[in-house]
Amino acid sequence: MDSADIKSERETVLHSWCRQADWHAPTIVGGEGALLIAEDGRRILDMSSLAECSNLGHQHPKLVRAIREQAEQLCFVTAAWGAEPRAALAQALLEKSGFDGGRVFFTLGGADANENAIKFARQAAHKPRGKVITRDRSYHGASYAAMALSGDARTRAQVDAEAFGVIHAHPPYAYHCPFNSQTESECGELAALEVATLIDDAGADNVAAVLMEPNAGTNGIVAPDNYWPALRALTRARGIYLIADEVMSGFGRCGEWFAWQRYGADARPDLMTVAKGLTGAHLPLGAVVLSAEISARLEHEMLYTGLTYCGHPLSCAAGVAAIAAYEEENLIARSRALGTALFAELKKLQQRHPVIGDVRGGHGLFAVVELVSDRAHRTPLSPWPQAHPALTNLLKRAMEAGVSFASRGNLLILAPPLVISEAQLVDAVALLDELLAAMAAELAA
């Protein structure tokens, strides 16, 4: 079919996470590093790694080459057969995460990775319907079980979390602490204590796992430093498996291979889910990384799970190339250094613009800017998860200037590719400075 005969996606495609009548996006025909190239020739700086997944930028040559070479050799076999890139990627993941003696189960993405992690935890614990504790203001996917696991206001009405055995805890949201704490550490302590109480109230024999995001998420919450270590200690003391959802926070996004590693080896979870940065989004792939203990418990049991394309050789080849790129280009440390610089610049913007209530993150190239209408009272610019028209206008003006920022509710989420240049990062922050000033004028009008 000639390209001139192809109708616009606006007429033929059902797009996710939007009202179809509102969808008016440019067609992207290429990419290079942190830049997207539109059909009309515009070069757009990607300050969100699209869905916080293009950690390696766009069209990374090592990944493109690896995919091409694998396609010429073997495109597909099911997981009932062996495939060299699948074995290589599993070994690399176990080495980078320190899950010595463990195993890896490959999935299609993050949602089914989280669902399978729950399956494995329940089966290994011999609690087939064991309860799972997650938290409010979290996101673990958009399939029905993943929506139940998520504490997401957008999808809450679509699913009965209790029917899926899910119990939601309050989030460690220090800026608006649900426990009315006075400090970040107190909020982290009280939030972890609530998880312990929920386990004790349900009875440890009835709880299979605790599933949490160790750091970054589109919820915009970065937990206090004492929260994850406290979760690890309380779950270990009660014999409950701890699952780290690293779908967004993994592969350098938060300055480590995996965000939990910032707290040391003793903070290692029992299971870990990954996707997004696993291939730098060049191909779809997710995975569950299991500890040696859980792997041993499953060794002689039937696993009633898996989808046709799990562990697809093309995707796994991209994953092997991605891990090599992170290593060879020193991108984990680069994310940490640039993230520190970005965070410092955003704090300067906070001093200049009263509309910025809080700036969070900074462990890697991930930062959250929370916008408020009244800084003294920490009043959100708009009720969660609604977007204020002034923020919508800011995003529109940014796109007109050639920069794509991401938002959620009253949050700006900055998560550029780890390969972004320092000059590009400086230019994006300078533009944001101008746009926030324009926003202030709009709000005052």
Side-chain angles (χ1 to χ4, degrees), residues 126 144 167 182 403 417 437:
H126 302 296
Y144 271 103
I167 302 171
Q182 300 303 307
V403 178

Side-chain angles (χ1 to χ4, degrees), residues 201-231:
D201 288 348
D205 291 343
N206 299 315
V207 178
V210 171
L211 168 66
M212 298 284 178
E213 296 161 296
N215 191 310
T218 54
N219 54 72
I221 296 172
V222 178
D225 285 342
N226 59 340
Y227 182 68
W228 185 262
L231 281 182

Side-chain angles (χ1 to χ4, degrees), residues 103 294-302:
R103 287 180 180 258
I294 294 180
S295 300
R297 286 175 174 261
L298 300 178
E299 184 71 13
H300 299 289
E301 296 195 7
M302 180 65 72

Side-chain angles (χ1 to χ4, degrees), residues 96-172:
K96 295 304 177 190
S97 60
F99 276 65
D100 300 327
R103 287 180 180 258
V104 178
F105 181 83
F106 288 107
T107 67
L108 305 187
D112 57 324
N114 285 323
E115 289 198 20
N116 278 291
I118 297 303
K119 288 184 181 181
F120 299 147
R122 283 173 167 163
Q123 186 167 351
H126 302 296
K127 301 172 184 177
R129 296 197 177 182
K131 296 185 183 301
V132 180
I133 296 173
T134 63
R135 77 183 195 216
D136 197 21
R137 257 314 260 266
S138 66
Y139 182 76
H140 301 290
S143 58
Y144 271 103
M147 285 194 297
L149 294 168
S150 301
D152 192 325
R154 299 170 298 179
T155 60
R156 187 172 289 130
Q158 297 183 47
V159 64
D160 180 359
E162 187 176 348
F164 283 85
V166 177
I167 302 171
H168 286 123
H170 289 95

Side-chain angles (χ1 to χ4, degrees), residues 64-353:
V64 172
R65 182 169 60 250
I67 294 167
R68 181 185 299 116
E69 291 174 353
Q70 182 62 42
E72 291 173 349
Q73 180 178 344
L74 173 70
C75 281
F76 177 66
V77 290
T78 67
W81 302 80
E84 184 178 344
R86 191 187 301 137
L89 183 54
Q91 182 174 331
L93 284 173
L94 293 170
E95 290 174 353
K96 295 304 177 190
S97 60
F99 276 65
D100 300 327
R103 287 180 180 258
V104 178
F105 181 83
F106 288 107
T107 67
L108 305 187
D112 57 324
N114 285 323
E115 289 198 20
N116 278 291
I118 297 303
K119 288 184 181 181
F120 299 147
R122 283 173 167 163
Q123 186 167 351
H126 302 296
K127 301 172 184 177
R129 296 197 177 182
K131 296 185 183 301
V132 180
I133 296 173
T134 63
R135 77 183 195 216
D136 197 21
R137 257 314 260 266
S138 66
Y139 182 76
H140 301 290
S143 58
Y144 271 103
M147 285 194 297
L149 294 168
S150 301
D152 192 325
R154 299 170 298 179
T155 60
R156 187 172 289 130
Q158 297 183 47
V159 64
D160 180 359
E162 187 176 348
F164 283 85
V166 177
I167 302 171
H168 286 123
H170 289 95
Y173 188 5
Y175 189 63
H176 295 288
C177 184
F179 308 100
N180 297 314
S181 67
Q182 300 303 307
T183 65
E184 284 198 11
S185 61
E186 184 185 2
C187 187
E189 179 183 351
L190 293 172
L193 182 61
E194 186 192 30
V195 175
T197 300
L198 290 173
I199 294 173
D200 295 342
D201 288 348
D205 291 343
N206 299 315
V207 178
V210 171
L211 168 66
M212 298 284 178
E213 296 161 296
N215 191 310
T218 54
N219 54 72
I221 296 172
V222 178
D225 285 342
N226 59 340
Y227 182 68
W228 185 262
L231 281 182
R232 177 65 285 187
L234 71 87
T235 50
R236 185 177 287 131
R238 290 162 175 78
I240 305 298
Y241 292 135
L242 178 61
I243 305 170
D245 179 345
E246 292 270 5
V247 170
M248 187 175 292
S249 57
F251 301 101
R253 177 55 60 199
C254 295
E256 308 287 345
W257 279 99
F258 308 105
W260 64 261
Q261 290 176 325
R262 193 162 65 87
Y263 307 107
D266 193 52
R268 182 179 296 109
D270 300 291
L271 304 96
M272 176 177 71
T273 59
V274 295
K276 293 186 183 285
L278 176 56
T279 66
H282 284 69
L283 283 175
L285 188 66
V288 184
V289 185
L290 298 83
S291 69
E293 177 197 349
I294 294 180
S295 300
R297 286 175 174 261
L298 300 178
E299 184 71 13
H300 299 289
E301 296 195 7
M302 180 65 72
L303 293 184
Y304 295 103
T305 193
L307 301 173
T308 301
Y309 298 123
C310 285
H312 198 292
L314 277 179
S315 296
C316 288
V320 172
I323 288 181
Y326 289 122
E327 283 187 317
E328 293 165 7
E329 298 171 30
N330 202 28
L331 293 179
I332 310 300
R334 188 172 194 275
S335 174
R336 195 158 51 240
L338 289 183
T340 299
L342 172 62
F343 188 76
E345 291 304 311
L346 293 175
K347 294 297 283 186
K348 292 178 184 177
L349 293 189
Q350 183 182 16
Q351 295 174 4
R352 289 200 292 274
H353 301 285

Side-chain angles (χ1 to χ4, degrees), residues 376-431:
H377 296 92
R378 303 187 177 187
T379 307
L381 189 63
S382 56
W384 182 261
Q386 298 174 26
H388 194 282
L391 177 53
T392 302
N393 289 338
L394 181 150
L395 298 176
K396 181 180 177 182
R397 294 185 187 113
M399 184 67 78
E400 291 170 352
V403 178
S404 174
F405 289 110
S407 71
R408 170 104 185 268
N410 57 313
L411 309 175
L412 275 168
I413 299 174
L414 290 84
L418 311 190
V419 297
I420 190 170
S421 73
E422 293 182 43
Q424 289 172 326
L425 200 57
V426 168
D427 288 346
V429 174
L431 175 63

